[in-house]
Amino acid sequence: MKKTFLTLIAILSLVACSSDDDNEEQPQQEISQSHIVEFTTGTLESWVSVSLTTTLTLEDGSESTINSDFDYTENMVSVEIPENTASFELDFYIEDSSEAQMRFYGSVEENTVHQETINQQSFQYQYTFN
């Protein structure tokens, strides 16, 4: 009887430890954030055309397209990439091939994923989240 009781306690201890481990891992898997891709330029004339078109592929396989407007006051165009995105593809166009700074970063932690200077009229960028 004493061996059975000790065996039962040992089994219950293992089960309790296993469920505690599961609870600790769960929040880490749920942590995520949206991302921002932004292009900044110097001062542009109002006649200079700038566009940013982003195609998102969501985790469920659906696709959506976002067309972002250039802010001539801030000299910037940006797009928010939502948390449930598996990958995205963007097309940036600036009419007079002015220099632009591209930055791709997390919206909460602001860690830069990619950054570069663009000196061309048309620029394409693709990214797949792990």
Side-chain angles (χ1 to χ4, degrees):
M1 180 76 171
K2 190 174 181 180
K3 284 185 178 180
T4 306
F5 182 72
L6 290 175
T7 304
L8 183 59
I9 288 175
I11 292 171
L12 289 174
S13 295
L14 288 173
V15 170
C17 290
S18 295
S19 65
D20 287 346
D21 290 344
D22 291 343
N23 289 340
E24 288 175 16
E25 289 177 16
Q26 225 171 10
Q28 292 175 353
Q29 294 170 352
E30 294 174 4
I31 294 173
S32 61
Q33 64 181 312
S34 60
H35 285 76
I36 307 289
V37 179
E38 67 183 19
F39 291 86
T40 55
T41 68
T43 304
L44 299 177
E45 297 293 328
S46 60
W47 57 266
V48 176
S49 177
V50 179
S51 66
L52 176 61
T53 303
T54 309
T55 303
L56 305 173
T57 302
L58 304 178
E59 290 173 349
D60 65 5
S62 63
E63 286 190 358
S64 66
T65 301
I66 301 170
N67 293 308
S68 304
D69 294 324
F70 186 76
D71 182 335
Y72 287 90
T73 306
E74 297 291 323
N75 299 317
M76 181 176 69
V77 61
S78 65
V79 62
E80 182 174 354
I81 310 298
E83 291 176 24
N84 61 341
T85 302
S87 65
F88 69 90
E89 196 174 309
L90 60 80
D91 291 308
F92 173 75
Y93 173 82
I94 185 164
E95 189 172 3
D96 69 350
S97 299
S98 294
E99 182 177 284
Q101 299 294 322
M102 181 261 207
R103 183 173 176 229
F104 170 35
Y105 61 95
S107 64
V108 176
E109 297 168 3
E110 294 194 21
N111 294 334
T112 300
V113 177
H114 183 79
Q115 186 170 354
E116 71 179 278
T117 300
I118 293 121
N119 286 307
Q120 55 201 46
Q121 193 170 39
S122 190
F123 175 77
Q124 295 180 328
Y125 183 77
Q126 296 176 325
Y127 189 82
T128 300
F129 292 93
N130 294 331

